Amino acid sequence: MRKNGHDRMGRQRWQCDGCRLTAGTRNNTKRRRTQLAQFLDWLLEAAPQRKRTESARNFRKRVDWCWRLKPRIEPDGVVHRTVMADGTYMNGWCLLAAVDGEDGEVLAWQWCARESTAAYKALFAQLAPPDVLVCDGMKGILKACAQIWPGTRIQRCLVHVQRDTRADLTSRPRLQAGRDLKRLADTLTRIHDADTAARWGQALNAWHERWKGMLAERTYAKDHPDDPRAATSTSGWWWTHLPLRRAYFRLERLFKDGTLFCFLDPTLTAQGPVPRDSNRLEGGLNAALKRMLVNHRGLPEAHMRRACEWHCYMNSAKPDPARILKQHDRQSKPRTDQDNEPDMTQPTLGTGIDWNEFHASTRYPNATE
């Protein structure tokens, strides 16, 4: 084949020296970019396919190749002052996400089976250490932060603290001590300065001085042989008001270690306000992910996860679907019939873990090679 001029659209034409037949080249890049844009509009819009003229089946067949694209956020080394991290569960899987605490842009994500230390370490390894991490305070995220970001301060989400207290005391505590403690916990989100926080700590200490005798009460198995706890108690006794003790000592521990009112530290607020809850992540990204899956209910599991990845990528700082398409075309190879399903392997960034290996070791711990 040799070059044989151009067609009226300016595209190169070729001619065979043997049979003298000519043929032109067709650039599919523009068409593929248009289809990718239509695919993302359909995937991320609030009411998919209501304004589309073609049938849903034809549209799905036309953009089916888009499911094979694997979006990812490249680590840029930018230091973010505050980062929010949390996990949301869907269809048996957990998606860990980290967003900027100031504008809510998605910084990284990681798939896992549960919110474990290994999963959060893989997430944090993709980012530069921030000044403050706003989280719900689960053991996995705290341990991972201490190992990956040892110099990062922790701000416990005050809304999660209130929820944990309500879970222990119920919404309508039966005892007066529980009603007083719940009232203290409910005022956490109304504290805006250091003086009010100090008075809150004094009120918590006064509550303990008043009810410490009640917290120390024990119930002995010999006095209640019919209680189910008598058969399982190894010490022969248990705390009479265990939920009340758990709620109080949680608040006391958070107040003493400085994670309850970290957002009031002058050294941190000198550069701007620090979030005191993770509502920007919970009500922003996580809620939008759930709405998207409801709008597209019935997707296969692999497509559900890929849809979540696209949603996270399009809410990052500089989303560029054309770059993802270009990278895919550069790295693509001839596919066989058995490769028709999209590859859902989680990309490993930095010191992250291989998704398949992590899935086998966490969800199926007894799996063999």
Side-chain angles (χ1 to χ4, degrees), residues 246-259:
R246 187 164 51 237
Y248 165 73
F249 284 110
R250 180 192 303 113
L251 295 174
E252 181 191 45
R253 182 182 71 255
L254 295 179
F255 181 77
K256 288 183 177 180
D257 62 19
T259 60

Side-chain angles (χ1 to χ4, degrees), residues 206-246:
W207 182 96
H208 179 257
E209 289 297 323
R210 179 182 179 185
W211 302 104
K212 61 182 179 181
M214 184 178 182
L215 293 180
E217 292 181 5
R218 301 181 181 185
T219 300
Y220 291 89
K222 61 181 181 180
D223 299 331
H224 300 80
D226 298 334
D227 195 304
R229 289 172 291 185
T232 58
S233 176
T234 58
S235 58
W237 61 271
W238 56 87
W239 298 111
T240 304
H241 306 288
L242 181 59
L244 186 65
R245 286 177 55 88
R246 187 164 51 237

Side-chain angles (χ1 to χ4, degrees), residues 32-49:
R32 286 162 60 85
R33 288 183 179 180
T34 302
Q35 290 183 357
L36 178 57
Q38 294 174 350
F39 169 77
L40 294 178
D41 289 342
W42 165 79
L43 187 65
L44 304 178
E45 66 183 352
Q49 281 195 298

Side-chain angles (χ1 to χ4, degrees), residues 157-179:
C157 174
L158 298 186
V159 176
H160 279 87
V161 174
Q162 291 177 334
R163 291 176 184 173
D164 294 340
T165 304
R166 191 180 305 116
D168 288 330
L169 304 179
T170 73
S171 299
R172 300 179 63 181
R174 179 176 56 86
L175 302 175
Q176 182 62 39
R179 290 194 289 268

